[in-house]
Amino acid sequence: MPNSILSLLDDEEKKQLFATCQSVHYSTGDSLFNKDDTAQSMYLVVKGKVSLFRLMPNGDEKLFKVFLAGELIAEMAMFMTPRVYPMSARVDQETQLLAFHYTDVLSVFTKSPGISTKVMGYMSNRIHHLMDTVNILTQVNANQRLVMRLAEIYRLQLKQEGKVFLPVTKKLLATQLGMTPETLSRAIKKLKSDGFIVESGNQITLIDIPALCDFVGLTPDIFATNQG
């Protein structure tokens, strides 16, 4: 449960929250919820895979995130006004979830000023991250977006060692970067052909980080692990 709102809870608070949850099972192709449905629950993936998406005005489906075991779905929706799901969620394979009803979530996360302050800080950081993402998508070119995303993944890894392990498919990575899979493929191919990276499966080896950053017009400190 790292990097989720559950990490704010101490052992007793987690025990209280998990005592109220329900285990639910879904089959491949099932809808977990639809955009603008009342947000009744948040979900912890025990096993399986769930995709978060939105239908665009032209009818295309925009994939935003794939949730795997250990990840929490719709945590921010529990605190929104109005309390609705901002996107739709579809089950991609046989999936087991723990469902936490919003009344139980609010009971635990608003029971004291201390935990409420933690929630406010957590939500502020999430919003800040989303704003950074919007800035990346609107203010930098495709090559810069790719390198900035590699740097973000690199900073979050427990082991760096000059390697980036992609946590998502390239199709989803392209969606997150606001580009087509073809554009992403060309960007990666360019960095490979110019000798800045080596690709092996989902692993990307960074040959020369300063040179890579200089090539795309960024500063090497974006890979520094002490960034906030």
Side-chain angles (χ1 to χ4, degrees):
M1 296 172 289
N3 302 319
S4 80
I5 200 168
L6 298 179
S7 64
L8 304 180
L9 302 177
D10 61 28
D11 290 343
E12 185 59 35
E13 291 163 339
K14 287 179 182 176
K15 182 178 178 180
Q16 178 184 343
L17 181 62
F18 276 80
T20 66
C21 70
Q22 291 186 325
S23 179
V24 291
H25 292 78
Y26 288 87
S27 299
T28 303
D30 285 348
S31 173
L32 183 58
F33 52 77
N34 292 309
K35 179 180 179 296
D36 295 329
D37 283 351
T38 299
Q40 296 287 3
S41 299
M42 67 180 188
Y43 301 89
L44 178 65
V45 182
V46 177
K47 64 178 180 179
K49 182 168 70 170
V50 178
S51 290
L52 195 67
F53 67 95
R54 177 178 286 185
L55 291 178
M56 308 308 288
N58 64 358
D60 291 343
E61 185 179 289
K62 182 81 167 180
L63 180 66
F64 280 84
K65 183 174 174 60
V66 175
F67 293 87
L68 302 173
E71 296 186 296
L72 193 63
I73 305 170
E75 56 182 350
M76 295 187 74
M78 298 295 93
F79 302 90
M80 292 172 59
T81 303
R83 197 184 72 255
V84 297
Y85 295 115
M87 299 183 194
S88 300
R90 179 184 57 242
V91 176
D92 293 332
Q93 62 187 50
E94 292 292 319
T95 294
Q96 179 185 357
L97 305 168
L98 295 181
F100 302 88
H101 194 268
Y102 84 96
T103 55
D104 299 318
V105 173
L106 293 186
S107 175
V108 171
F109 283 97
T110 62
K111 71 175 185 178
S112 71
I115 189 63
S116 295
T117 300
K118 289 181 181 179
V119 171
M120 290 175 62
Y122 176 83
M123 293 300 177
S124 295
N125 289 335
R126 285 291 302 273
I127 292 171
H128 179 72
H129 176 74
L130 291 172
M131 290 176 65
D132 284 345
T133 300
V134 171
N135 286 337
I136 289 173
L137 295 179
T138 57
Q139 296 180 15
V140 299
N141 61 44
N143 288 336
Q144 290 172 328
R145 286 183 228 169
L146 171 58
V147 174
M148 292 174 75
R149 178 61 175 145
L150 293 179
E152 180 183 12
I153 298 170
Y154 185 81
R155 295 196 308 269
L156 292 173
Q157 292 176 168
L158 294 178
K159 292 183 179 180
Q160 278 80 39
E161 299 176 345
K163 295 179 174 59
V164 174
F165 299 89
L166 298 180
V168 298
T169 64
K170 287 182 181 176
K171 180 180 178 181
L172 180 54
L173 179 62
T175 296
Q176 294 173 340
L177 294 174
M179 62 179 74
T180 65
E182 293 77 16
T183 299
L184 175 61
S185 180
R186 286 194 296 270
I188 292 176
K189 184 177 180 180
K190 176 64 175 174
L191 297 182
K192 288 166 58 178
S193 64
D194 287 351
F196 295 112
I197 64 173
V198 172
E199 184 183 22
S200 177
N202 70 336
Q203 175 184 297
I204 292 178
T205 301
L206 308 168
I207 303 302
D208 188 332
I209 290 176
L212 169 64
C213 292
D214 182 66
F215 177 72
V216 298
L218 297 170
T219 57
D221 60 5
I222 63 172
F223 282 87
T225 55
N226 61 350
Q227 273 205 359

